[in-house]
Amino acid sequence: MPDTVYFFGTCLIDTLFPRAGLAAMQLLRRAGVRVIFPQGQTCCGQPAYNSGYRDEARAVARAQLDAFPADLPVVVPSASCAGMLRVQYPLLFADTADAARAEAFAGRVVELADFLVRVLDVRLIDLGPPIRVAVHNSCSARRELGVADATMDLLGRLARVELVEPERAAECCGFGGAFSVKQPEISAAMAGDKARAILATGAAVLVGQDCGCLMNLGGTLARQGGGPLVRHLAEFIWERTHRDD
Amino acid sequence: MTTEFRLAIGAALRQDRVRGNIRRAMDGLVTKRREAFPDPQERESLRDEGAAIRAESVARLPELLEELERTCTGNGIQVHWAETGADANQIVLGILRAAGANAILKGKSMVSEEMGLNEFLQRQGIEALETDLGEIIIQLAHEAPSHIIAPAIHKDRAEVAALFRKHFPDQPPAQQIEELTALARTVMRERFRGMTAGLSGVNFAVAETGTLCLVENEGNGRLCTTLPDVHIAVMGIEKVVARLDQVPTLLTLLTRSATGQPITTYVNMISGPRRAGEKDGPTAVHLILLDNGRSRIHADPELSATLRCIRCAACMNHCPVYARLGGHAYGTVYPGPIGSILEPQLQGLAVRGEMAEASSLCGACAEVCPVRIPIPRLLNRLRYEAVSTRAASPTLGHGSRRLVVQSGIWRLWSWTCAHPRAYRALTRLLGLLRRLQPTRLPPWTDTREAPRLAPESLHRQARAAGFSDRA
């Protein structure tokens, strides 16, 4: 078991949902791991990369390679960004001077739930009341990284949490980064259907591992009024297992 | 950016009935595919095999096509090469004129849609009669196919019944599926009588033996290829495979992925015209090999994976975007994920580049593709080609979608995120000014509440909570 890890906070968490990032670091620290947060980190570069701007994405990605120099695991509380770092970086840097560096970096990247379950095998003591939780596993978690099982496993360690998957759980929520801006109508139709399926579960909280999806679904649910609370996986777990003394 | 596609998207999303019809059909096909592959391990090894076979076919395309021409010719099949759809149409016309045919029976063929064959023949005074039930329905409705294996998937039973009532007033009115198919059968039987020419597509053409494989469920394909004196088969050049022993794997993948069937009702293996002593079959078989941009796709080592496609439509059936839009909104012959990588390459990025943007890159298509085409990866590549300023690229319309303002924004974003000090200063400033953040950010906020900037970034909170910066 590694005693020290890097933490990659992601730009969405950094600017919009810092509590999710802090909760993730606290979970790691409580499990006995020293967590390093390099101040040189910014964004994984995915927005530009998926929009076709590879040179612009590469410049940003190179800054991340610089920011995590030591040979330590890089824990990422977002399957989408972890997928970018782990799967896409080697492709982005193929045939460049940074190819070997990107390969080595990619090999160190671990998604948060995967790390907590597979590497740390954390035990969670559920302090909250019985609750029904709808889970939204992102497309990156399901397909690009294959860590959706880890999310379910991790949440399953909370004794009083009943997990439900909404209808058509494997279907995309319609965020897709720039897709939600470039194709707003299709994106809204996808998010709307997803929101209805989540409401139908009767869950009190919607939990996911990607703030992009949560922002999309949370924003849609909020516009419809009512609906479940929306929480990042780390923040939800931290809230249920942490007592302020 | 108000394009034709954008307008079509809006219109498609407002058609609740069509959306419902498509969704129901999709759900059915998804379930059937899942049940057709009960063992995930077997499914994955089959996909590996299929991908390898098709990758080999694409890699050896020029030599396999030459071999196919040789073996087909040896079997008595007359082989024609067409560079464009217009060329292919002329070849069909020439054959029909020589045969003295003023009408042609058609089995389902997406390549003939690509050629615009029906409209072309109509202009020449030749009637093209569709015989596939789905194709008959959309031909009666004067529409294009909205799906590559189920052309009328957007229509429900009531709509088909109304269409039949209007066009066949002499027939007893039909309501139930059985009555509707019986009616179509009665009408079609009359049409098959005495036709001199038939046209079909090709699912696979075997280079080794000069065999054309054609799968179907209704028997109309077999009638089109055996009843008339002349059979014309049209295929995209990528449909060639090296050996006959590769066909069972591909057929298994094709039918299971498409409709969940272990095998279709009819599997036709056409290996030449009627031979002496044979009781049926055409006296002449023509094969038209259509390029129409495919050799250009073939030239790129990454994008050429597009040509592996066996047209099963599993990507469409699993695509959340296709499920919302249906096929017509794309405005192209091939819709959905495969269309979104194929059409921009066939027609050029300047014309169809936006199709590559109409995907959230969720990966559902690649997850089901029986020949493992990395569709999201290719969409990403096409987006890159569309905005790239790199000098040489074989991709048609390369660089045509680069806009000054958009590329300026990305350059600015890139510079900021590549300079951590600037990034931290900017996020700090945004945090301080967050009360000035607009609550309306169209189009995002047309259907969603806007996210609110946090007062303190994670960078600052991590430092405050005592997390160190360095190892």
Side-chain angles (χ1 to χ4, degrees):
Chain A
M1 190 183 100
D3 57 359
T4 308
V5 300
Y6 278 128
F7 190 79
F8 181 82
T10 89
C11 63
L12 272 191
I13 288 181
D14 190 38
T15 54
L16 298 168
F17 307 99
R19 278 164 49 169
L22 205 60
M25 291 197 283
Q26 282 162 329
L27 280 172
L28 291 165
R29 182 151 73 180
R30 192 177 65 190
V33 178
R34 182 169 168 252
V35 181
I36 299 163
F37 185 95
Q39 290 286 323
Q41 64 178 286
T42 58
C43 167
C44 66
Q46 187 179 183
Y49 178 66
N50 281 350
S51 299
Y53 289 85
R54 291 192 181 177
D55 294 338
E56 288 78 358
R58 222 175 269 120
V60 174
R62 207 172 285 116
Q64 311 318 307
L65 297 181
D66 295 340
F68 298 85
D71 185 18
L72 294 171
V74 180
V75 180
V76 187
S78 151
S80 172
C81 309
M84 178 69 190
L85 301 173
R86 193 178 167 83
V87 181
Q88 306 300 332
Y89 269 23
L91 299 169
L92 181 62
F93 286 105
D95 306 320
T96 71
D98 292 303
R101 205 157 70 109
E103 287 275 358
F105 176 77
R108 291 193 275 129
V109 171
V110 203
E111 185 268 341
L112 175 73
D114 193 26
F115 190 75
L116 290 172
V117 168
R118 195 170 41 82
V119 182
L120 299 183
D121 194 16
V122 289
R123 197 168 141 245
L124 300 175
I125 299 164
D126 193 356
L127 305 173
I131 191 171
R132 177 182 287 185
V133 171
V135 186
H136 173 72
N137 272 300
S138 69
C139 299
S140 305
R142 277 180 197 281
R143 305 195 180 97
E144 192 171 30
L145 293 178
V147 296
D149 288 348
T151 313
M152 302 309 274
D153 184 333
L154 186 64
L155 284 165
R157 296 178 186 209
L158 293 167
R160 277 177 286 191
V161 168
E162 179 203 350
L163 297 180
V164 287
E165 275 201 318
E167 195 192 6
R168 296 201 181 98
E171 191 171 280
C172 177
C173 74
F175 177 62
F179 171 76
S180 62
V181 180
K182 287 195 166 173
Q183 302 293 344
E185 293 157 302
I186 310 173
S187 173
M190 290 162 73
D193 289 347
K194 203 85 191 168
R196 269 187 292 282
I198 291 163
L199 284 172
T201 64
V205 184
L206 171 69
V207 171
Q209 70 282 80
D210 270 274
C211 284
C213 313
L214 295 177
M215 186 168 82
N216 181 36
L217 293 172
T220 304
L221 287 162
R223 174 60 58 87
Q224 292 173 355
L229 290 172
V230 177
R231 286 285 180 276
H232 184 272
L233 177 71
E235 194 180 352
F236 176 74
I237 292 176
W238 180 249
E239 280 175 359
R240 286 193 69 95
T241 57
H242 168 73
R243 211 192 312 263
D244 281 311
D245 292 316
Chain B
M1 186 166 35
T2 303
T3 62
E4 214 177 305
F5 187 35
R6 163 77 2 102
L7 293 170
I9 287 168
L13 290 170
R14 284 187 290 277
Q15 292 184 326
D16 290 341
R17 183 167 183 169
V18 172
R19 262 176 80 181
N21 291 345
I22 289 171
R23 188 86 232 201
R24 265 190 305 282
M26 301 288 90
D27 285 350
L29 289 169
V30 165
T31 308
K32 283 183 187 163
R33 176 189 173 272
R34 193 170 48 237
E35 288 166 355
F37 290 111
D39 180 357
Q41 247 176 342
E42 192 197 334
R43 180 190 64 213
E44 294 312 302
S45 64
L46 257 176
R47 290 176 71 211
D48 285 340
E49 246 179 84
I53 293 170
R54 289 301 295 148
E56 183 202 337
S57 313
V58 173
R60 298 175 52 204
L61 193 58
E63 54 165 307
L64 290 180
L65 285 169
E66 282 175 24
E67 188 184 348
L68 180 71
E69 183 178 30
R70 244 186 350 262
T71 52
C72 280
T73 309
N75 289 346
I77 297 173
Q78 299 171 57
V79 178
H80 311 260
W81 300 83
E83 195 172 329
T84 65
D87 295 345
N89 285 335
Q90 287 299 337
I91 295 168
V92 173
L93 182 65
I95 298 167
L96 294 181
R97 291 259 195 263
N102 56 7
I104 188 167
L105 276 179
K106 279 189 71 200
K108 209 181 109 36
S109 153
M110 290 310 290
V111 164
S112 77
E113 298 287 339
E114 199 180 319
M115 291 153 56
L117 179 65
N118 291 9
E119 299 72 32
F120 169 79
L121 290 178
Q122 198 178 10
R123 285 198 300 275
Q124 306 297 326
I126 294 174
E127 197 184 2
L129 294 165
E130 294 291 349
T131 61
D132 172 272
L133 182 55
E135 292 282 353
I136 295 170
I137 293 167
I138 58 161
Q139 193 172 35
L140 292 176
H142 300 292
E143 290 178 17
S146 66
H147 187 280
I148 66 170
I149 62 156
I153 203 161
H154 57 296
K155 293 201 180 296
D156 55 38
R157 185 163 49 88
E159 287 169 287
V160 175
L163 205 56
F164 279 11
R165 244 192 333 273
K166 183 178 151 206
H167 286 272
F168 309 117
D170 305 341
Q171 299 290 330
Q175 282 298 332
Q176 300 307 313
I177 302 276
E178 296 75 20
E179 298 166 0
L180 289 165
T181 46
L183 191 159
R185 194 183 173 92
T186 312
V187 173
M188 288 319 294
R189 284 203 170 162
E190 287 308 310
R191 289 191 180 178
F192 284 123
R193 218 191 291 273
M195 293 287 286
T196 51
L199 181 135
S200 75
V202 175
N203 290 101
F204 305 106
V206 185
E208 177 189 34
T209 55
T211 309
L212 310 178
C213 309
L214 190 58
V215 296
E216 47 138 352
N217 280 314
E218 298 170 13
N220 65 304
R222 181 163 294 183
L223 288 169
C224 289
T225 56
T226 54
L227 217 50
D229 290 335
V230 179
H231 169 214
I232 305 169
V234 290
M235 66 176 252
I237 52 171
E238 80 281 17
K239 288 290 187 77
V240 68
V241 296
R243 297 187 313 277
L244 198 59
D245 65 11
Q246 295 174 322
V247 172
T249 303
L250 295 177
L251 284 183
T252 300
L253 282 166
L254 173 62
T255 61
R256 279 170 213 257
S257 305
T259 53
Q261 293 173 284
I263 192 164
T264 44
T265 317
Y266 297 88
V267 177
N268 306 293
M269 305 287 263
I270 299 162
S271 51
R274 185 195 300 203
R275 288 173 176 79
E278 286 181 346
K279 287 204 171 80
D280 62 1
T283 50
V285 177
H286 296 265
L287 174 65
I288 301 174
L289 295 162
L290 176 67
D291 183 324
N292 205 25
R294 287 164 172 82
S295 52
R296 198 166 8 85
I297 300 175
H298 183 258
D300 185 280
E302 185 180 32
L303 292 170
S304 61
T306 311
L307 300 178
R308 277 187 224 160
C309 178
I310 59 173
R311 306 285 190 263
C312 70
C315 61
M316 262 160 245
N317 298 343
H318 290 76
C319 177
V321 174
Y322 178 90
R324 275 23 179 237
L325 298 182
H328 288 158
Y330 293 86
T332 50
V333 170
Y334 304 96
I338 183 63
S340 299
I341 56 169
L342 182 59
E343 295 281 3
Q345 295 186 74
L346 291 180
Q347 299 191 50
L349 289 160
V351 193
R352 296 294 174 192
E354 200 178 4
M355 280 177 83
E357 288 168 17
S359 164
S360 64
L361 304 180
C362 77
C365 48
E367 189 179 32
V368 296
C369 177
V371 291
R372 297 195 190 281
I373 302 173
I375 298 177
R377 174 93 198 126
L378 300 187
L379 288 169
N380 185 297
R381 169 71 192 282
L382 289 173
R383 292 177 186 185
Y384 167 61
E385 292 294 339
V387 300
S388 176
T389 50
R390 187 170 54 106
S393 167
T395 314
L396 198 63
H398 158 88
S400 61
R401 294 182 64 79
R402 190 177 180 93
L403 303 169
V404 178
V405 175
Q406 218 172 66
S407 58
I409 291 171
W410 282 119
R411 238 179 293 166
L412 200 64
W413 169 89
S414 173
W415 186 87
T416 311
C417 291
H419 293 83
R421 278 171 196 279
Y423 170 87
R424 287 201 302 274
L426 181 70
T427 50
R428 172 87 178 122
L429 186 69
L430 289 173
L432 291 171
L433 298 176
R434 74 187 191 288
R435 288 188 202 291
L436 302 177
Q437 186 201 328
T439 51
R440 299 203 57 77
L441 302 161
W444 176 270
T445 51
D446 291 348
T447 56
R448 310 169 183 86
E449 294 298 311
R452 306 295 296 160
L453 282 163
E456 288 271 295
S457 71
L458 181 62
H459 276 78
R460 294 177 66 83
Q461 292 196 36
R463 184 175 271 166
F467 290 98
S468 62
D469 175 36
R470 269 171 235 285

